[in-house]
Amino acid sequence: MRNKIFELEGKVAIVTGGGSGLGRVFCEALAEFGANISIVDINEKGAKETAELVENFKKEALVIKADVSNPEDVKRAIDETLRKFGRIDILINNAGINAQPAPIAEIPIEDWDRVLAVNLKGVFLCTRAVLPVMVKQKKGNIINIASILGIRALFELSEIMPMVHYSVSKAGVIILTKQTAIEYAKDGIRANCIAPGWFRGTKLSAHWKEKLWREEQQKKYENTIKRITPLGRRGELEELKGLIIFLASDASSYITGQVIIIDGGICV
């Protein structure tokens, strides 16, 4: 029998970008520990596949097709979740995108705007929409997904894959997390941030890597990741489950405003 300090039975979680990658793993973990899940994703097919995994744990899943950069979509997602479950205990702001890498002087403005719109504005919109619900409940838990690229510039990888738009968006998520924690602590709301390094299976950049990168470029990129990571490998998605349950549960009840790095030692 698992320790009840990690129990999420009866809790309701919203997971943005829950249709694949990290978001899907988060949904599975939360459901395994008892939470019902609202899966918000622009990819409805992927969200439905995740819902089946949630239901395998005998928990309820609600699929909402939405673009987190659209305020109307975000409001609808919150409203539909409340209609279905009556409360929102946990918000995981996971939805994120990347764009084709380029030096700063060559980044198309539309790429900059889109990455910031989803990765940073989307977190702001979802946080802004859920806070009144959590304030009314006098309790809530917000977990934002940033990146080690929002903490430090990695020169060796920047030579291969410069993507300042992504890095800036994740740096913004980190300070938004801290400010949320400070402003809403008095309302019983916690806000923390996970900053992952490189994990297998995210497919964040697959849409352009497969088209533009030759095999030797891909190999150089992977070898660089291994070389700069003290543990010598990418992380596995399963290795994120313990951290998300810790932050989502009462096991972390006295932790707020923190950035927890999970990167195999890169930022040591």
Side-chain angles (χ1 to χ4, degrees):
M1 185 175 180
R2 59 178 180 250
N3 193 322
K4 288 187 177 181
I5 198 171
F6 298 106
E7 193 64 61
L8 298 174
E9 195 66 40
K11 302 288 187 182
V12 175
I14 296 180
V15 181
T16 69
S20 63
L22 274 64
R24 177 169 289 176
V25 168
F26 295 153
C27 289
E28 284 187 276
L30 293 167
E32 183 178 354
F33 278 77
N36 298 310
I37 317 289
S38 180
I39 305 161
V40 178
D41 204 307
I42 201 165
N43 174 9
E44 189 174 22
K45 180 176 180 292
K48 287 179 178 178
E49 292 170 356
T50 300
E52 292 178 6
L53 297 173
V54 168
E55 289 162 357
N56 286 341
F57 291 102
K58 310 300 182 187
K59 307 313 298 181
E60 291 188 80
L62 174 64
V63 171
I64 302 173
K65 182 179 180 179
D67 177 352
V68 296
S69 69
N70 183 318
E72 293 180 1
D73 278 15
V74 170
K75 183 180 184 303
R76 176 172 52 80
I78 299 299
D79 290 346
E80 288 186 20
T81 301
L82 287 172
R83 276 196 295 271
K84 171 74 173 176
F85 297 114
R87 61 183 297 111
I88 300 169
D89 300 288
I90 302 158
L91 168 65
I92 300 181
N93 281 310
N94 167 74
I97 62 169
N98 202 347
Q100 188 173 323
I104 294 171
E106 299 172 22
I107 290 177
I109 292 172
E110 57 270 24
D111 283 2
W112 174 275
D113 287 345
R114 182 58 182 157
V115 170
L116 270 290
V118 174
N119 294 6
L120 182 53
K121 181 183 176 184
V123 175
F124 163 70
L125 290 175
C126 292
T127 300
R128 181 177 182 270
V130 83
L131 279 170
V133 177
M134 292 181 171
V135 168
K136 188 175 180 180
Q137 294 171 175
K138 301 186 184 306
K139 191 172 184 181
N141 191 350
I142 298 170
I143 304 169
N144 296 326
I145 309 304
S147 167
I148 61 170
L149 291 176
I151 296 171
R152 56 168 292 194
L154 294 168
F155 173 71
E156 291 174 294
L157 279 169
S158 292
E159 284 190 309
I160 303 168
M161 197 168 79
M163 46 184 188
V164 70
H165 32 27
Y166 182 82
S167 297
V168 168
S169 71
K170 294 303 186 178
V173 167
I174 288 170
I175 196 61
L176 177 57
T177 302
K178 291 174 179 288
Q179 191 65 31
T180 304
I182 290 170
E183 290 188 22
Y184 289 90
K186 65 184 183 300
D187 298 296
I189 297 167
R190 296 190 295 121
N192 291 292
C193 187
I194 296 174
W198 277 265
F199 280 79
R200 235 180 270 282
T202 64
K203 297 182 179 179
L204 190 62
S205 303
H207 62 288
W208 58 261
K209 276 185 186 175
E210 293 171 0
K211 293 178 183 177
L212 299 177
W213 274 18
R214 298 185 300 275
E215 186 178 344
E216 58 267 29
Q217 288 174 295
Q218 183 68 43
K219 187 176 292 186
K220 181 180 179 183
Y221 179 63
E222 292 298 329
N223 287 339
T224 302
I225 290 172
K226 289 179 182 178
R227 180 163 49 79
I228 68 174
T229 305
L231 288 183
R233 62 175 176 85
R234 282 179 179 259
E236 302 294 338
L237 292 179
E238 293 288 315
E239 293 177 294
L240 286 159
K241 283 188 172 182
L243 181 53
I244 202 71
I245 295 303
F246 172 68
L247 288 177
S249 70
D250 286 342
S252 60
S253 59
Y254 199 54
I255 297 176
T256 195
Q258 300 304 304
V259 181
I260 300 180
I261 297 168
I262 178 167
D263 69 348
I266 294 174
C267 288
V268 170

